[in-house]
Amino acid sequence: MDNEWWRSGVVYQIYPRSFADSNGDGIGDLRGAINKIDHLVDLGVDAVWLSPMYKSPGDDNGYDVSDYQAIDPQYGTMEDFDELLAGLHARGIRLVLDLVVNHTSDEHEWFVESASAIDSPKRDWYIWRPPRPGHAPGSKGAEPTDWESFFSESTWKLDEASGEYFLHLFSTKQPDLNWENPRVREAIYSMMNWWLDRGVDGFRMDVINLISKVADLRDGEPVPGKVRSDGSAQYTYGPRLHEFLQEMHSAVFAGRPSAIVTVGEMPRVTVEQARLITDASRHELDMVFQFEHMEVDKVPGTRYESIPLNLARLKGSLARWQEGLADTGWNTLYWNNHDQARAVSRYGDDREYWRESAKTLATALYLLRGTAFIYQGEELGMTNTPLESADELLDVAARNYHRSAMASGVSESAILAQLRRAGRDNARSPMQWDSQAGAGFSAGIPWSKVNPNADRINAAAQRDDPLSVLAHYRRVIKFRHENDVVASGRVDWLALDHPELFTYLRNNGDVQLLVVANFSSRVIDLPEELVERIRDAQGAVQLDSLGIDGRPGAQLAPWRSFVIG
Ligand code: ISL
Ligand code: CA
């Protein structure tokens, strides 16, 4: 296995709870994933990123870890884990774990001990603060700062016994660790080394840019229309972030093979910050997940208030990231993960041009420069899941948002409409393996409802169909592997301001690729310059989303995309 395989590589994200259930309890598990390794081999991916399978009370589906070195019984055993790892390795597929170390579960023994007494030796493993001066614990306005959490409520929870508050940027069951404490950092690094020694191939690091907070926490910036403030300037890209990442690198990664991969999830990270973090000479991370292209269809600063996609804005954002990390650093490329609505429903057309738009999204993004991350079901064109009522909400973020928006007087129908478009449950419905009840995901009753379109959108129906979304993903992945220009070439955008075309050139001096995509559900007239380029480009038409073997003339069919080279 080559070093830096990830430059041309594709990582496949498994959200274990929704991937494959082997024992009929309705919950996906590790043995289920073991049974599906052939699917990954068939697709041709280089690595799997496994969302958390650690011991957890499951408040945030495993992103609240109560034991980093144990497998949650609902997902299986450590033997199952080792078998999955060995099974993937035997087929040449690497395994990247999800590292959730900005916070733990409140049921982690570290927190239990920390909360046990004000003078507990582990008190300063978490971030505790007394009530605001002059306020009794639990009284209105007593919280140490006025911040709103990522999950809509306050970021502080009162511990009745001690009269102090602990910080939780996510749910009340996800207390933030105190990274200022060197013993916390040592414990985390030793746990990471334990997993690497067990054979895993790297980490996707959950909200890793939040680990360094300013020392003196204070009220945040007011947000129009909101009671609570935005404190993110005090914990996103904090003063010791680079130092902590460099320390982690030397404690964990230095001296290990460079094939080990690190990717940091970083909400609000800027291109300039990402360039520093992924500059190989600084020894921090290989790459980061940025969020800008996931926010272009949202009212700024909101998670659930969607606005129509402005394609020029989306391309403008991607272009800035491609350019910003062209010489130093490295990009990730993704449309989907377990936190995002399904891209084919969001940026594509999941009705009339479902198949064509699912393919076009893949071609347009994954032939840019960066490591490609695809999320389970994306390769089938899985769509958003219908949401009928608030009782169906499963995600803690969505439930909290529903509760707080209701309390501030927003109508339930408006809230549901927002969650239908942008809620995280959209991505967490069971993987659609076949058209049976339970979608081949489970022989029992799935924990999350199966999308009713599973009878038509499923892996079994697509496996042998050369025109399927699945066949297209296989081809795109193969194309990345076989054409070095995708990993190494420069990117030159064409018609960057065009509201419907997504078009660029890739060039590494030897080879030139021309990528053309119609991101609309109508026939469009091509600019004259592009008509000529398409006519004159050297090479064959490949990866055509319509399966047409020929070059278009002056017009481009709805959601048609292809590459020439
Ligand atoms: O999903 C979001 C909004 O609904 C994001 O704000 C998300 O919370 C943010 O991207 C951080 O995500 C990561 O950490 C969270 C966890 O809930 C997510 O699943 C994880 O990807 C806390 O661990
Ligand atoms: Ca199960």
Side-chain angles (χ1 to χ4, degrees):
M1 300 198 203
D2 304 326
N3 287 343
E4 307 208 332
W5 55 272
W6 36 266
R7 291 186 190 269
S8 63
V10 178
V11 182
Y12 184 91
Q13 184 191 354
I14 291 181
Y15 193 69
R17 199 174 178 79
S18 303
F19 189 61
D21 170 24
S22 69
N23 62 354
D25 66 356
I27 297 170
D29 45 53
L30 296 178
R31 188 140 298 281
I34 292 168
N35 296 340
K36 298 298 184 186
I37 293 177
D38 282 348
H39 177 75
L40 309 174
V41 172
D42 168 64
L43 194 53
V45 299
D46 302 84
V48 164
W49 148 27
L50 183 64
S51 274
M53 71 304 164
Y54 314 103
K55 193 155 181 284
S56 164
D59 187 55
D60 188 17
N61 288 351
Y63 284 89
D64 49 320
V65 181
S66 56
D67 186 343
Y68 291 110
Q69 287 166 233
I71 303 296
D72 196 277
Q74 67 184 336
Y75 296 137
T77 62
M78 197 56 84
E79 288 66 47
D80 296 334
F81 176 84
D82 287 338
E83 196 178 321
L84 175 62
L85 179 61
L88 290 169
H89 282 175
R91 315 296 292 274
I93 299 174
R94 295 182 163 86
L95 181 59
V96 173
L97 293 190
D98 211 314
L99 183 80
V100 190
V101 291
N102 172 68
H103 43 267
T104 66
S105 163
D106 65 342
E107 297 181 33
H108 194 292
E109 63 177 25
W110 298 343
F111 186 78
V112 172
E113 220 180 304
S114 181
S116 67
I118 255 178
D119 59 0
S120 154
K122 288 219 165 56
R123 188 65 167 182
D124 63 352
W125 281 49
Y126 292 84
I127 303 175
W128 294 93
R129 290 288 185 276
R132 210 177 273 255
H135 289 73
S139 66
K140 196 168 159 23
E143 290 163 2
T145 70
D146 62 355
W147 305 346
E148 175 172 304
S149 82
F150 279 80
F151 293 167
S152 301
E153 48 201 357
S154 162
T155 55
W156 297 98
K157 187 174 176 197
L158 177 67
D159 167 50
E160 302 276 353
S162 65
E164 288 194 334
Y165 290 83
F166 67 83
L167 179 73
H168 62 90
L169 294 180
F170 294 89
S171 92
T172 51
K173 287 184 65 63
Q174 293 168 301
D176 282 55
L177 281 162
N178 177 21
W179 275 70
E180 296 296 317
N181 183 338
R183 279 181 301 278
V184 168
R185 307 203 299 274
E186 277 158 28
I188 290 168
Y189 305 152
S190 107
M191 173 272 284
M192 293 170 73
N193 277 311
W194 185 85
W195 281 109
L196 289 170
D197 293 344
R198 205 169 189 98
V200 307
D201 303 286
F203 297 101
R204 173 270 186 189
M205 304 181 184
D206 193 68
V207 292
I208 201 72
N209 63 326
L210 310 187
I211 56 178
S212 164
K213 278 91 174 168
V214 301
D216 172 28
L217 305 180
R218 17 175 229 288
D219 286 348
E221 301 296 320
V223 184
K226 288 209 169 169
V227 184
R228 294 201 170 83
S229 76
D230 174 7
S232 61
Q234 296 168 63
Y235 56 73
T236 309
Y237 201 62
R240 301 183 69 187
L241 178 64
H242 290 294
E243 178 197 336
F244 292 160
L245 293 175
Q246 288 171 9
E247 180 186 76
M248 176 194 283
H249 189 278
S250 71
V252 179
F253 301 108
R256 292 191 186 263
S258 65
I260 286 177
V261 72
T262 55
V263 46
E265 187 212 24
M266 300 201 170
R268 290 173 180 252
V269 69
T270 65
V271 185
E272 294 69 29
Q273 294 165 358
R275 185 165 42 222
L276 290 174
I277 292 163
T278 65
D279 175 345
S281 70
R282 293 170 53 90
H283 305 295
E284 297 184 21
L285 300 178
D286 291 321
M287 61 193 101
V288 306
F289 288 132
Q290 55 93 9
F291 282 71
E292 230 179 71
H293 69 302
M294 291 282 115
E295 284 159 4
V296 292
D297 65 337
K298 306 262 174 71
V299 174
T302 73
R303 267 184 276 282
Y304 299 111
E305 291 168 38
S306 302
I307 51 176
L309 175 65
N310 173 333
L311 186 71
R313 204 167 147 216
L314 172 67
K315 286 184 292 176
S317 165
L318 292 169
R320 282 198 315 107
W321 279 84
Q322 289 284 305
E323 173 73 23
L325 302 183
D327 302 322
T328 302
W330 189 250
N331 267 297
T332 58
L333 306 169
Y334 75 95
W335 285 132
N336 292 280
N337 60 45
H338 64 294
D339 293 333
Q340 301 291 339
R342 291 280 183 182
V344 67
S345 298
R346 183 177 175 185
Y347 292 163
D349 173 350
D350 66 5
R351 286 172 292 238
E352 202 179 345
Y353 294 100
W354 160 72
R355 192 205 298 246
E356 295 78 6
S357 65
K359 294 183 191 177
T360 290
L361 284 166
T363 303
L365 187 67
Y366 301 136
L367 299 189
L368 288 172
R369 187 151 185 250
T371 302
F373 287 79
I374 68 182
Y375 176 64
Q376 65 185 43
E378 174 184 336
E379 77 280 23
L380 309 175
M382 275 179 63
T383 66
N384 280 350
T385 4
L387 169 67
E388 265 124 50
S389 77
D391 311 331
E392 291 172 0
L393 296 174
L394 297 165
D395 168 27
V396 59
R399 288 185 197 228
N400 285 359
Y401 177 70
H402 174 261
R403 193 186 328 109
S404 74
M406 290 290 284
S408 58
V410 186
S411 77
E412 179 151 79
S413 64
I415 298 168
L416 292 180
Q418 291 175 337
L419 290 169
R420 233 169 249 136
R421 282 183 72 173
R424 305 198 298 180
D425 284 329
N426 278 312
R428 300 177 179 184
S429 65
M431 176 75 175
Q432 293 165 204
W433 294 105
D434 61 38
S435 59
Q436 298 171 58
F441 160 75
S442 174
I445 299 166
W447 73 280
S448 150
K449 135 179 131 177
V450 170
N451 193 313
N453 65 23
D455 59 348
R456 145 179 98 71
I457 301 178
N458 64 68
Q462 296 188 26
R463 194 156 290 127
D464 300 319
D465 173 2
L467 284 177
S468 66
V469 178
L470 179 58
H472 187 78
Y473 266 81
R474 238 184 247 137
R475 287 193 285 265
V476 170
I477 293 168
K478 188 157 178 271
F479 191 93
R480 285 180 54 96
H481 289 149
E482 290 176 352
N483 293 273
D484 175 66
V485 61
V486 177
S488 66
R490 49 176 291 131
V491 181
D492 293 302
W493 294 85
L494 303 171
L496 195 55
D497 295 329
H498 195 287
E500 286 153 333
L501 273 173
F502 194 121
T503 302
Y504 53 88
L505 296 167
R506 300 298 316 274
N507 197 321
N508 66 1
D510 294 334
V511 189
Q512 174 154 297
L513 299 179
L514 169 62
V515 179
V516 179
N518 178 356
F519 263 57
S520 83
S521 299
R522 58 184 203 98
V523 177
I524 57 176
D525 295 320
L526 294 174
E528 188 51 40
E529 200 242 88
L530 188 59
V531 173
E532 285 164 19
R533 272 191 196 277
I534 293 172
R535 188 192 58 214
D536 299 340
Q538 305 275 314
V541 172
Q542 300 179 67
L543 302 180
D544 193 316
S545 64
L546 268 52
I548 299 173
D549 217 8
R551 299 179 189 220
Q555 293 191 317
L556 196 60
W559 290 104
R560 183 169 182 205
S561 60
F562 55 86
V563 49
I564 304 180

